[in-house]
Amino acid sequence: MEAAEVNIQPEDFDAGIEIRNLREASGTTGAVASFVGVVSDRNDGADIESLLLEHYPGMTEKSIVAIIAQAKQRWPLLAVKVIHRIGKLQRADQIVFVGVASRHRGAAFAACEYIMDFLKTQAPFWKKEKTSAGERWVDARSTDTEATARWK
Amino acid sequence: MEAAEVNIQPEDFDAGIEIRNLREASGTTGAVASFVGVVSDRNDGADIESLLLEHYPGMTEKSIVAIIAQAKQRWPLLAVKVIHRIGKLQRADQIVFVGVASRHRGAAFAACEYIMDFLKTQAPFWKKEKTSAGERWVDARSTDTEATARWK
Amino acid sequence: MLDVLFFASIRERLDSERLRCAAVRDVDALIESLSERGPDWATVLRAPNVIIAVNQEIVDSTHRLHANDQVAFFPPVTGG
Amino acid sequence: MLDVLFFASIRERLDSERLRCAAVRDVDALIESLSERGPDWATVLRAPNVIIAVNQEIVDSTHRLHANDQVAFFPPVTGG
Protein backbone atom coordinates (compact mmCIF):
# COMPACT_ATOMS: atom_id res chain seq x y z
CA MET A 1 0.00 0.00 0.00
CA GLU A 2 1.27 3.44 -0.85
CA ALA A 3 1.85 5.68 2.18
CA ALA A 4 -0.18 8.89 2.42
CA GLU A 5 1.53 12.04 1.18
CA VAL A 6 0.22 14.07 4.13
CA ASN A 7 0.18 13.11 7.82
CA ILE A 8 -1.27 15.35 10.53
CA GLN A 9 -0.34 13.76 13.85
CA PRO A 10 0.54 14.45 17.50
CA GLU A 11 3.45 11.98 17.32
CA ASP A 12 7.04 12.91 16.53
CA PHE A 13 8.62 11.76 13.24
CA ASP A 14 12.00 10.49 12.05
CA ALA A 15 13.27 12.60 9.15
CA GLY A 16 15.77 9.86 8.25
CA ILE A 17 13.00 7.30 7.70
CA GLU A 18 11.00 9.79 5.64
CA ILE A 19 14.00 10.61 3.43
CA ARG A 20 14.68 6.90 2.94
CA ASN A 21 11.03 6.33 1.96
CA LEU A 22 11.22 9.19 -0.54
CA ARG A 23 14.37 7.70 -2.07
CA GLU A 24 12.75 4.29 -2.35
CA ALA A 25 9.32 5.53 -3.48
CA SER A 26 10.62 6.29 -6.93
CA GLY A 27 13.45 3.87 -7.65
CA THR A 28 16.55 5.97 -8.07
CA THR A 29 15.62 9.52 -7.52
CA GLY A 30 18.73 11.64 -7.97
CA ALA A 31 17.77 14.26 -5.39
CA VAL A 32 15.83 14.56 -2.13
CA ALA A 33 15.44 18.01 -0.59
CA SER A 34 13.85 18.24 2.82
CA PHE A 35 12.96 20.64 5.58
CA VAL A 36 12.44 20.18 9.31
CA GLY A 37 10.84 22.95 11.37
CA VAL A 38 11.60 23.09 15.08
CA VAL A 39 9.91 24.90 18.01
CA SER A 40 12.00 28.01 18.65
CA ASP A 41 13.16 29.03 22.11
CA ARG A 42 12.26 32.69 21.53
CA ASN A 43 9.64 34.64 19.61
CA ASP A 44 8.88 38.36 19.68
CA GLY A 45 11.23 38.88 22.61
CA ALA A 46 9.82 36.23 24.96
CA ASP A 47 11.12 32.81 26.02
CA ILE A 48 8.85 30.06 24.76
CA GLU A 49 8.12 27.22 27.19
CA SER A 50 5.74 25.22 25.02
CA LEU A 51 3.41 25.47 22.07
CA LEU A 52 -0.14 24.29 21.45
CA LEU A 53 -0.93 23.58 17.81
CA GLU A 54 -4.60 23.77 16.81
CA HIS A 55 -5.82 22.87 13.32
CA TYR A 56 -8.97 22.48 11.21
CA PRO A 57 -9.30 18.72 10.70
CA GLY A 58 -10.15 17.88 7.11
CA MET A 59 -9.35 21.28 5.66
CA THR A 60 -5.74 20.99 6.81
CA GLU A 61 -5.13 17.81 4.82
CA LYS A 62 -7.10 19.17 1.87
CA SER A 63 -5.11 22.41 1.70
CA ILE A 64 -1.75 20.62 1.89
CA VAL A 65 -2.80 18.11 -0.79
CA ALA A 66 -3.73 21.10 -3.00
CA ILE A 67 -0.35 22.77 -2.36
CA ILE A 68 1.45 19.54 -3.29
CA ALA A 69 -0.63 19.25 -6.48
CA GLN A 70 0.35 22.82 -7.44
CA ALA A 71 4.02 22.01 -6.83
CA LYS A 72 3.72 18.91 -9.03
CA GLN A 73 2.36 21.05 -11.85
CA ARG A 74 5.34 23.40 -11.63
CA TRP A 75 8.17 20.87 -11.23
CA PRO A 76 8.81 17.25 -12.25
CA LEU A 77 8.52 15.57 -8.85
CA LEU A 78 8.77 11.86 -8.10
CA ALA A 79 7.52 11.78 -4.50
CA VAL A 80 6.46 14.23 -1.80
CA LYS A 81 5.86 13.83 1.94
CA VAL A 82 4.48 16.35 4.42
CA ILE A 83 4.12 15.69 8.15
CA HIS A 84 2.74 18.33 10.51
CA ARG A 85 2.38 17.79 14.22
CA ILE A 86 -0.56 19.02 16.31
CA GLY A 87 -1.25 19.31 20.04
CA LYS A 88 1.25 20.25 22.72
CA LEU A 89 4.90 20.63 21.69
CA GLN A 90 7.94 21.54 23.76
CA ARG A 91 10.82 23.84 22.92
CA ALA A 92 13.18 22.17 20.38
CA ASP A 93 10.51 19.64 19.33
CA GLN A 94 10.10 18.99 15.62
CA ILE A 95 6.91 20.55 14.18
CA VAL A 96 6.95 19.95 10.44
CA PHE A 97 8.67 17.82 7.80
CA VAL A 98 8.54 18.50 4.06
CA GLY A 99 10.48 16.20 1.74
CA VAL A 100 10.58 16.20 -2.07
CA ALA A 101 12.24 13.68 -4.42
CA SER A 102 13.05 14.58 -8.01
CA ARG A 103 15.59 13.65 -10.65
CA HIS A 104 16.72 17.29 -10.59
CA ARG A 105 18.16 18.98 -7.52
CA GLY A 106 16.89 22.43 -8.56
CA ALA A 107 13.32 21.10 -8.78
CA ALA A 108 13.61 19.29 -5.43
CA PHE A 109 14.86 22.42 -3.64
CA ALA A 110 12.35 24.77 -5.26
CA ALA A 111 9.34 22.50 -4.66
CA CYS A 112 10.33 21.86 -1.03
CA GLU A 113 10.57 25.58 -0.31
CA TYR A 114 7.36 26.28 -2.27
CA ILE A 115 5.41 23.73 -0.24
CA MET A 116 6.77 25.14 3.05
CA ASP A 117 5.97 28.72 2.01
CA PHE A 118 2.37 27.90 1.10
CA LEU A 119 1.87 25.59 4.07
CA LYS A 120 2.86 28.55 6.30
CA THR A 121 0.29 30.89 4.73
CA GLN A 122 -2.54 28.59 3.63
CA ALA A 123 -2.79 25.47 5.80
CA PRO A 124 -5.17 26.06 8.75
CA PHE A 125 -2.88 25.63 11.75
CA TRP A 126 -2.63 28.05 14.67
CA LYS A 127 0.10 28.23 17.30
CA LYS A 128 -0.51 29.29 20.88
CA GLU A 129 2.70 29.98 22.79
CA LYS A 130 3.20 29.54 26.48
CA THR A 131 5.80 32.04 27.67
CA SER A 132 6.89 33.20 31.12
CA ALA A 133 4.39 36.06 30.65
CA GLY A 134 1.45 33.73 29.95
CA GLU A 135 -0.24 32.31 26.88
CA ARG A 136 -0.70 34.10 23.56
CA TRP A 137 -1.71 33.31 19.99
CA VAL A 138 1.19 33.69 17.59
CA ASP A 139 0.74 36.51 15.06
CA ALA A 140 1.02 35.75 11.36
CA ARG A 141 4.20 37.22 9.87
CA SER A 142 4.22 39.53 6.87
CA THR A 143 7.54 37.90 5.82
CA ASP A 144 5.62 34.64 5.34
CA THR A 145 3.08 36.35 3.09
CA GLU A 146 5.92 37.90 1.10
CA ALA A 147 7.57 34.47 0.78
CA THR A 148 4.54 33.15 -1.12
CA ALA A 149 4.26 36.26 -3.30
CA ARG A 150 7.56 35.55 -5.08
CA TRP A 151 6.18 32.26 -6.51
CA LYS A 152 3.43 34.09 -8.43
CA MET B 1 34.13 17.27 21.04
CA GLU B 2 32.57 19.12 18.16
CA ALA B 3 31.98 16.96 15.08
CA ALA B 4 33.71 17.99 11.85
CA GLU B 5 31.61 20.04 9.42
CA VAL B 6 32.91 18.05 6.44
CA ASN B 7 33.30 14.28 6.10
CA ILE B 8 34.72 12.61 3.00
CA GLN B 9 34.17 8.88 3.45
CA PRO B 10 33.50 5.59 1.63
CA GLU B 11 30.82 4.68 4.21
CA ASP B 12 27.11 5.37 3.84
CA PHE B 13 25.43 7.94 6.12
CA ASP B 14 22.11 8.31 7.94
CA ALA B 15 20.45 11.61 7.01
CA GLY B 16 18.17 11.32 10.06
CA ILE B 17 21.12 11.25 12.46
CA GLU B 18 22.73 14.19 10.68
CA ILE B 19 19.52 16.25 10.85
CA ARG B 20 19.18 15.44 14.56
CA ASN B 21 22.80 16.52 15.17
CA LEU B 22 22.15 19.79 13.34
CA ARG B 23 19.07 20.43 15.47
CA GLU B 24 20.99 19.72 18.65
CA ALA B 25 24.21 21.50 17.64
CA SER B 26 22.62 24.90 18.14
CA GLY B 27 20.01 24.49 20.87
CA THR B 28 16.69 25.31 19.25
CA THR B 29 17.30 26.01 15.65
CA GLY B 30 13.97 26.85 14.04
CA ALA B 31 14.83 25.38 10.64
CA VAL B 32 16.93 22.60 9.13
CA ALA B 33 17.10 22.33 5.33
CA SER B 34 18.89 19.34 3.88
CA PHE B 35 19.73 17.63 0.62
CA VAL B 36 20.56 14.03 -0.23
CA GLY B 37 22.04 13.16 -3.63
CA VAL B 38 21.50 9.64 -4.96
CA VAL B 39 23.22 7.65 -7.75
CA SER B 40 20.91 7.87 -10.76
CA ASP B 41 19.92 4.85 -12.81
CA ARG B 42 20.44 6.66 -16.11
CA ASN B 43 22.75 9.37 -17.47
CA ASP B 44 23.16 10.61 -21.05
CA GLY B 45 20.97 7.82 -22.34
CA ALA B 46 22.78 4.85 -20.76
CA ASP B 47 21.87 2.62 -17.80
CA ILE B 48 24.29 3.10 -14.94
CA GLU B 49 25.44 -0.03 -13.12
CA SER B 50 27.84 1.55 -10.67
CA LEU B 51 29.93 4.63 -10.07
CA LEU B 52 33.53 5.17 -8.99
CA LEU B 53 34.13 8.44 -7.14
CA GLU B 54 37.68 9.77 -7.23
CA HIS B 55 38.75 12.88 -5.29
CA TYR B 56 41.77 15.02 -4.41
CA PRO B 57 42.42 14.31 -0.73
CA GLY B 58 43.06 17.49 1.22
CA MET B 59 41.87 19.90 -1.44
CA THR B 60 38.38 18.38 -1.33
CA GLU B 61 37.94 19.15 2.38
CA LYS B 62 39.56 22.57 1.96
CA SER B 63 37.29 23.59 -0.91
CA ILE B 64 34.12 22.51 0.92
CA VAL B 65 35.21 24.29 4.11
CA ALA B 66 35.71 27.44 1.99
CA ILE B 67 32.23 27.06 0.42
CA ILE B 68 30.68 26.71 3.90
CA ALA B 69 32.56 29.81 5.08
CA GLN B 70 31.19 31.79 2.12
CA ALA B 71 27.65 30.58 2.93
CA LYS B 72 28.08 31.69 6.56
CA GLN B 73 29.06 35.16 5.39
CA ARG B 74 25.89 35.44 3.32
CA TRP B 75 23.33 33.97 5.74
CA PRO B 76 22.97 33.67 9.53
CA LEU B 77 23.64 29.94 9.95
CA LEU B 78 23.80 28.00 13.20
CA ALA B 79 25.28 24.72 11.97
CA VAL B 80 26.29 23.07 8.69
CA LYS B 81 27.19 19.49 7.79
CA VAL B 82 28.48 18.12 4.49
CA ILE B 83 29.17 14.43 3.84
CA HIS B 84 30.45 13.22 0.47
CA ARG B 85 31.13 9.58 -0.28
CA ILE B 86 34.08 8.31 -2.33
CA GLY B 87 35.01 4.99 -3.93
CA LYS B 88 32.59 2.53 -5.52
CA LEU B 89 28.87 3.26 -5.30
CA GLN B 90 25.90 1.34 -6.64
CA ARG B 91 22.77 2.60 -8.34
CA ALA B 92 20.40 4.20 -5.76
CA ASP B 93 23.22 4.61 -3.21
CA GLN B 94 23.43 7.92 -1.38
CA ILE B 95 26.35 10.10 -2.57
CA VAL B 96 26.11 13.41 -0.76
CA PHE B 97 24.42 15.02 2.25
CA VAL B 98 24.23 18.77 2.86
CA GLY B 99 22.37 20.01 5.93
CA VAL B 100 22.00 23.57 7.22
CA ALA B 101 20.44 24.80 10.47
CA SER B 102 19.30 28.39 10.88
CA ARG B 103 16.69 30.33 12.80
CA HIS B 104 15.23 31.37 9.45
CA ARG B 105 13.87 28.92 6.93
CA GLY B 106 14.72 31.13 3.95
CA ALA B 107 18.38 31.24 5.04
CA ALA B 108 18.47 27.47 5.64
CA PHE B 109 17.05 26.69 2.17
CA ALA B 110 19.23 29.22 0.34
CA ALA B 111 22.46 28.21 2.07
CA CYS B 112 21.79 24.49 1.53
CA GLU B 113 21.24 25.01 -2.20
CA TYR B 114 24.23 27.40 -2.42
CA ILE B 115 26.55 24.83 -0.82
CA MET B 116 25.30 22.07 -3.17
CA ASP B 117 25.69 24.31 -6.24
CA PHE B 118 29.28 25.24 -5.40
CA LEU B 119 30.19 21.73 -4.25
CA LYS B 120 29.10 20.53 -7.71
CA THR B 121 31.34 22.99 -9.55
CA GLN B 122 34.28 23.56 -7.19
CA ALA B 123 34.97 20.51 -5.02
CA PRO B 124 37.48 18.17 -6.72
CA PHE B 125 35.45 14.99 -7.17
CA TRP B 126 35.18 13.00 -10.42
CA LYS B 127 32.64 10.35 -11.28
CA LYS B 128 33.40 7.38 -13.51
CA GLU B 129 30.27 5.52 -14.59
CA LYS B 130 30.08 1.85 -15.38
CA THR B 131 27.33 1.29 -17.96
CA SER B 132 26.38 -1.68 -20.12
CA ALA B 133 28.56 -0.06 -22.83
CA GLY B 134 31.64 0.12 -20.60
CA GLU B 135 33.23 2.71 -18.33
CA ARG B 136 33.31 6.45 -18.94
CA TRP B 137 34.15 9.65 -17.06
CA VAL B 138 31.08 11.76 -16.45
CA ASP B 139 31.10 15.09 -18.29
CA ALA B 140 30.64 18.30 -16.31
CA ARG B 141 27.25 19.87 -16.99
CA SER B 142 26.80 23.44 -18.14
CA THR B 143 23.59 23.57 -16.04
CA ASP B 144 25.74 23.13 -12.92
CA THR B 145 27.97 26.05 -13.94
CA GLU B 146 24.86 28.14 -14.56
CA ALA B 147 23.52 27.18 -11.12
CA THR B 148 26.50 28.83 -9.43
CA ALA B 149 26.37 31.92 -11.66
CA ARG B 150 23.03 33.05 -10.18
CA TRP B 151 24.60 33.45 -6.71
CA LYS B 152 27.02 36.13 -7.93
CA MET C 1 -28.99 23.91 8.57
CA LEU C 2 -25.43 25.24 8.42
CA ASP C 3 -22.52 23.77 10.36
CA VAL C 4 -20.51 26.75 11.68
CA LEU C 5 -16.99 26.42 13.13
CA PHE C 6 -14.68 28.86 14.91
CA PHE C 7 -10.96 28.37 15.43
CA ALA C 8 -8.10 29.67 17.56
CA SER C 9 -8.41 33.27 18.83
CA ILE C 10 -11.85 33.63 17.24
CA ARG C 11 -13.08 30.51 19.03
CA GLU C 12 -11.77 31.91 22.31
CA ARG C 13 -13.18 35.41 21.87
CA LEU C 14 -16.64 34.09 20.99
CA ASP C 15 -16.38 31.26 23.51
CA SER C 16 -17.88 29.04 20.82
CA GLU C 17 -16.33 26.17 18.89
CA ARG C 18 -19.19 24.97 16.75
CA LEU C 19 -22.87 25.72 16.30
CA ARG C 20 -25.66 24.92 13.90
CA CYS C 21 -27.91 27.58 12.48
CA ALA C 22 -30.56 28.04 9.85
CA ALA C 23 -29.40 28.32 6.23
CA VAL C 24 -29.25 31.89 4.92
CA ARG C 25 -28.45 33.45 1.54
CA ASP C 26 -24.72 34.13 1.91
CA VAL C 27 -21.88 34.53 4.42
CA ASP C 28 -22.73 38.20 5.01
CA ALA C 29 -26.24 37.18 6.03
CA LEU C 30 -24.79 34.48 8.30
CA ILE C 31 -22.55 37.04 10.06
CA GLU C 32 -25.58 39.33 10.47
CA SER C 33 -27.59 36.50 12.00
CA LEU C 34 -24.68 35.43 14.29
CA SER C 35 -24.22 39.04 15.44
CA GLU C 36 -27.44 38.77 17.42
CA ARG C 37 -25.71 36.31 19.77
CA GLY C 38 -23.65 38.93 21.60
CA PRO C 39 -22.07 42.38 21.40
CA ASP C 40 -18.62 41.04 20.34
CA TRP C 41 -19.74 38.82 17.50
CA ALA C 42 -20.00 41.42 14.72
CA THR C 43 -16.64 42.97 15.71
CA VAL C 44 -14.87 39.63 15.82
CA LEU C 45 -16.39 38.18 12.62
CA ARG C 46 -16.00 41.46 10.67
CA ALA C 47 -12.35 42.01 11.66
CA PRO C 48 -10.37 42.72 8.47
CA ASN C 49 -8.02 39.72 8.78
CA VAL C 50 -10.71 37.06 9.45
CA ILE C 51 -10.57 34.17 6.99
CA ILE C 52 -13.79 32.50 5.88
CA ALA C 53 -13.93 28.96 4.51
CA VAL C 54 -17.02 27.27 3.09
CA ASN C 55 -16.78 23.51 2.78
CA GLN C 56 -13.07 23.91 3.53
CA GLU C 57 -12.35 26.29 0.66
CA ILE C 58 -11.44 29.94 1.32
CA VAL C 59 -14.14 32.35 0.13
CA ASP C 60 -15.18 35.98 0.65
CA SER C 61 -18.22 37.14 2.57
CA THR C 62 -20.42 37.41 -0.54
CA HIS C 63 -20.17 33.63 -1.05
CA ARG C 64 -23.62 32.02 -1.49
CA LEU C 65 -24.59 29.35 1.04
CA HIS C 66 -26.55 26.15 0.63
CA ALA C 67 -28.17 23.70 3.05
CA ASN C 68 -25.59 21.59 4.93
CA ASP C 69 -22.67 23.86 4.05
CA GLN C 70 -19.84 23.93 6.57
CA VAL C 71 -18.75 27.50 7.30
CA ALA C 72 -15.56 28.26 9.26
CA PHE C 73 -14.16 31.51 10.64
CA PHE C 74 -10.51 31.69 11.61
CA PRO C 75 -7.58 34.10 12.03
CA PRO C 76 -4.51 34.15 9.72
CA VAL C 77 -2.76 30.79 9.92
CA THR C 78 0.52 30.30 11.80
CA GLY C 79 1.57 26.69 11.24
CA GLY C 80 4.81 25.31 9.93
CA MET D 1 61.35 19.92 -6.11
CA LEU D 2 57.68 20.14 -7.08
CA ASP D 3 55.05 17.56 -6.18
CA VAL D 4 52.88 17.09 -9.30
CA LEU D 5 49.51 15.29 -9.24
CA PHE D 6 47.11 14.19 -12.00
CA PHE D 7 43.49 13.19 -11.47
CA ALA D 8 40.67 11.35 -13.23
CA SER D 9 40.74 11.35 -17.07
CA ILE D 10 44.05 13.29 -17.09
CA ARG D 11 45.67 10.71 -14.82
CA GLU D 12 44.46 7.96 -17.15
CA ARG D 13 45.51 9.65 -20.39
CA LEU D 14 49.02 10.38 -19.06
CA ASP D 15 49.19 7.05 -17.23
CA SER D 16 50.70 8.97 -14.34
CA GLU D 17 49.29 9.72 -10.89
CA ARG D 18 52.09 11.62 -9.23
CA LEU D 19 55.66 12.64 -10.00
CA ARG D 20 58.35 14.91 -8.62
CA CYS D 21 60.22 17.32 -10.79
CA ALA D 22 62.63 20.21 -10.49
CA ALA D 23 61.19 23.58 -9.50
CA VAL D 24 60.59 25.95 -12.40
CA ARG D 25 59.46 29.57 -12.69
CA ASP D 26 55.72 29.09 -13.21
CA VAL D 27 53.02 26.60 -14.27
CA ASP D 28 53.60 27.32 -17.99
CA ALA D 29 57.25 26.37 -17.57
CA LEU D 30 56.21 23.22 -15.70
CA ILE D 31 53.88 22.19 -18.54
CA GLU D 32 56.71 22.82 -21.04
CA SER D 33 59.03 20.66 -18.98
CA LEU D 34 56.42 17.88 -18.57
CA SER D 35 55.73 17.93 -22.33
CA GLU D 36 59.10 16.29 -22.92
CA ARG D 37 57.75 13.12 -21.29
CA GLY D 38 55.62 12.05 -24.24
CA PRO D 39 53.71 13.21 -27.32
CA ASP D 40 50.33 13.44 -25.51
CA TRP D 41 51.43 15.49 -22.53
CA ALA D 42 51.28 18.98 -24.07
CA THR D 43 47.88 18.23 -25.67
CA VAL D 44 46.41 16.88 -22.43
CA LEU D 45 47.81 19.55 -20.11
CA ARG D 46 47.00 22.43 -22.51
CA ALA D 47 43.41 21.33 -23.15
CA PRO D 48 41.14 24.37 -22.62
CA ASN D 49 39.11 22.87 -19.75
CA VAL D 50 42.05 21.62 -17.65
CA ILE D 51 42.01 22.97 -14.10
CA ILE D 52 45.30 23.77 -12.38
CA ALA D 53 45.67 23.92 -8.59
CA VAL D 54 48.79 25.00 -6.73
CA ASN D 55 48.85 24.06 -3.06
CA GLN D 56 45.18 23.12 -3.44
CA GLU D 57 44.06 26.53 -4.69
CA ILE D 58 42.86 27.00 -8.26
CA VAL D 59 45.26 29.17 -10.31
CA ASP D 60 45.98 29.96 -13.96
CA SER D 61 49.03 28.83 -15.90
CA THR D 62 50.97 32.06 -15.23
CA HIS D 63 51.04 31.28 -11.49
CA ARG D 64 54.60 31.49 -10.05
CA LEU D 65 55.96 28.33 -8.45
CA HIS D 66 58.20 27.86 -5.41
CA ALA D 67 60.19 24.93 -4.01
CA ASN D 68 57.93 22.22 -2.51
CA ASP D 69 54.76 23.52 -4.17
CA GLN D 70 52.11 20.91 -4.90
CA VAL D 71 50.74 21.29 -8.45
CA ALA D 72 47.66 19.40 -9.60
CA PHE D 73 46.07 19.02 -13.04
CA PHE D 74 42.48 17.82 -13.31
CA PRO D 75 39.38 17.95 -15.53
CA PRO D 76 36.17 19.84 -14.62
CA VAL D 77 34.75 18.39 -11.40
CA THR D 78 31.66 16.15 -11.36
CA GLY D 79 30.90 15.40 -7.70
CA GLY D 80 27.67 15.87 -5.77
Side-chain angles (χ1 to χ4, degrees):
Chain A
M1 203 189 82
E2 211 183 324
E5 278 191 323
V6 179
N7 289 158
I8 309 299
Q9 60 187 45
E11 298 80 24
D12 198 10
F13 53 82
D14 181 331
I17 291 174
E18 300 306 327
I19 290 171
R20 188 176 318 134
N21 290 343
L22 287 166
R23 284 199 285 121
E24 289 170 359
S26 46
T28 53
T29 52
V32 178
S34 65
F35 180 83
V36 173
V38 178
V39 179
S40 289
D41 52 350
R42 289 185 70 77
N43 186 29
D44 285 341
D47 284 340
I48 298 164
E49 292 170 9
S50 65
L51 212 60
L52 198 69
L53 259 151
E54 181 173 335
H55 77 128
Y56 180 174
M59 181 170 173
T60 315
E61 292 81 352
K62 215 167 144 177
S63 69
I64 298 173
V65 165
I67 293 166
I68 294 172
Q70 285 158 27
K72 285 181 172 175
Q73 286 198 320
R74 286 179 79 124
W75 295 283
L77 308 183
L78 296 167
V80 176
K81 180 78 183 194
V82 174
I83 303 173
H84 202 298
R85 294 179 70 190
I86 49 172
K88 190 168 183 184
L89 299 179
Q90 302 298 326
R91 194 149 47 158
D93 277 355
Q94 302 189 113
I95 307 176
V96 62
F97 174 86
V98 176
V100 175
S102 173
R103 286 192 165 267
H104 306 287
R105 91 177 172 284
F109 271 117
C112 187
E113 192 166 11
Y114 176 96
I115 291 168
M116 261 311 295
D117 283 353
F118 281 89
L119 183 151
K120 279 251 173 195
T121 53
Q122 297 193 341
F125 293 100
W126 303 275
K127 289 193 188 107
K128 192 175 202 176
E129 291 172 346
K130 190 172 176 190
T131 73
S132 47
E135 291 191 339
R136 62 181 183 189
W137 290 99
V138 173
D139 277 334
R141 289 174 187 278
S142 58
T143 51
D144 287 331
T145 314
E146 288 153 19
T148 60
R150 75 198 155 106
W151 297 107
K152 298 291 150 83
Chain B
M1 203 190 81
E2 211 183 324
E5 278 189 322
V6 179
N7 289 159
I8 309 300
Q9 61 187 44
E11 298 80 24
D12 198 10
F13 53 81
D14 181 331
I17 290 175
E18 300 306 328
I19 290 171
R20 188 176 318 133
N21 290 343
L22 287 166
R23 283 198 286 120
E24 289 171 359
S26 46
T28 53
T29 52
V32 178
S34 65
F35 179 84
V36 173
V38 178
V39 180
S40 290
D41 53 350
R42 289 186 69 77
N43 186 30
D44 284 341
D47 285 339
I48 297 164
E49 292 169 10
S50 64
L51 211 60
L52 197 67
L53 259 152
E54 181 173 334
H55 78 128
Y56 181 173
M59 183 170 171
T60 315
E61 292 81 352
K62 216 166 141 176
S63 69
I64 298 173
V65 165
I67 293 166
I68 294 172
Q70 286 158 27
K72 285 182 172 174
Q73 287 198 319
R74 286 179 79 124
W75 296 282
L77 309 182
L78 296 168
V80 176
K81 180 78 182 194
V82 174
I83 302 173
H84 202 296
R85 293 179 70 190
I86 49 173
K88 192 167 183 182
L89 299 178
Q90 303 298 326
R91 196 148 48 158
D93 276 355
Q94 303 188 110
I95 307 175
V96 62
F97 173 85
V98 175
V100 174
S102 173
R103 286 192 166 266
H104 307 286
R105 92 178 172 282
F109 271 117
C112 187
E113 192 167 12
Y114 176 96
I115 292 168
M116 263 310 295
D117 283 354
F118 281 88
L119 184 152
K120 279 252 175 196
T121 53
Q122 297 194 342
F125 293 100
W126 302 275
K127 288 192 189 109
K128 192 176 202 175
E129 290 172 348
K130 191 174 176 186
T131 74
S132 47
E135 291 191 338
R136 62 181 182 190
W137 289 100
V138 173
D139 278 333
R141 290 174 186 278
S142 58
T143 51
D144 286 330
T145 313
E146 288 153 17
T148 61
R150 75 198 155 107
W151 297 106
K152 297 292 150 85
Chain C
M1 297 289 278
L2 302 169
D3 182 23
V4 186
L5 304 172
F6 308 101
F7 290 98
S9 54
I10 293 179
R11 172 177 52 71
E12 286 188 352
R13 287 195 59 190
L14 300 179
D15 196 20
S16 177
E17 188 173 336
R18 185 171 206 155
L19 52 83
R20 296 183 66 77
C21 76
V24 290
R25 178 188 164 83
D26 57 20
V27 176
D28 278 320
L30 173 63
I31 294 173
E32 202 168 317
S33 151
L34 292 170
S35 298
E36 292 163 16
R37 290 176 175 256
D40 271 358
W41 287 63
T43 318
V44 170
L45 297 178
R46 288 287 186 197
N49 63 357
V50 167
I51 298 168
I52 304 157
V54 172
N55 300 329
Q56 308 187 350
E57 303 275 357
I58 307 231
V59 299
D60 63 36
S61 66
T62 62
H63 188 88
R64 291 292 293 268
L65 295 174
H66 303 93
N68 302 316
D69 276 352
Q70 185 179 73
V71 186
F73 294 90
F74 50 81
V77 303
T78 58
Chain D
M1 296 292 277
L2 301 168
D3 182 23
V4 187
L5 303 173
F6 308 101
F7 290 97
S9 55
I10 293 181
R11 173 177 52 72
E12 286 188 352
R13 286 194 59 191
L14 300 180
D15 195 19
S16 178
E17 188 172 337
R18 184 170 207 158
L19 53 83
R20 296 183 67 76
C21 77
V24 288
R25 180 190 162 83
D26 56 21
V27 176
D28 278 320
L30 174 63
I31 295 173
E32 203 167 314
S33 153
L34 292 170
S35 298
E36 292 163 16
R37 291 176 174 255
D40 270 359
W41 287 62
T43 319
V44 170
L45 297 178
R46 288 288 185 197
N49 63 358
V50 168
I51 297 167
I52 304 157
V54 172
N55 300 328
Q56 308 187 351
E57 302 276 357
I58 306 225
V59 299
D60 63 37
S61 68
T62 63
H63 188 87
R64 292 292 293 268
L65 295 175
H66 303 93
N68 303 315
D69 276 354
Q70 185 180 74
V71 186
F73 295 89
F74 50 81
V77 303
T78 57

